[in-house]
Amino acid sequence: MSAIASDHSKPVRPASAENDSPSAKNECHPVNDLVEYLIAYSREKPEVAALWCLGVGFVLGWKLKLW
């Protein structure tokens, strides 16, 4: 019974406290960063983003044609 009591006496750190460390803030997530950047860019300049999608789709369709 004393082992159970000692477990409850330990301070409990919330899960978010581990993410607040300086090393956690400097982690790199290149895919997430790229997606966020592309979303922000496409909201600022939707015409340019649409032309890029059209161009990439044209090139892929031309290179991957089935006939």
Side-chain angles (χ1 to χ4, degrees):
M1 191 76 120
S2 64
I4 295 173
S6 66
D7 287 341
H8 291 293
S9 64
K10 292 180 183 176
V12 178
R13 290 179 53 188
S16 63
E18 295 173 0
N19 294 334
D20 291 339
S21 66
S23 63
K25 291 180 183 177
N26 294 331
E27 289 182 14
C28 292
H29 300 287
V31 175
N32 293 338
D33 293 342
L34 180 65
V35 169
E36 289 177 14
Y37 173 76
L38 290 175
I39 290 171
Y41 185 82
S42 64
R43 286 185 180 155
E44 290 177 12
K45 300 181 180 181
E47 304 88 13
V48 176
L51 287 174
W52 270 102
C53 290
L54 181 69
V56 169
F58 179 77
V59 170
L60 286 176
W62 175 42
K63 293 294 183 179
L64 299 176
K65 64 183 173 187
L66 299 175
W67 61 88

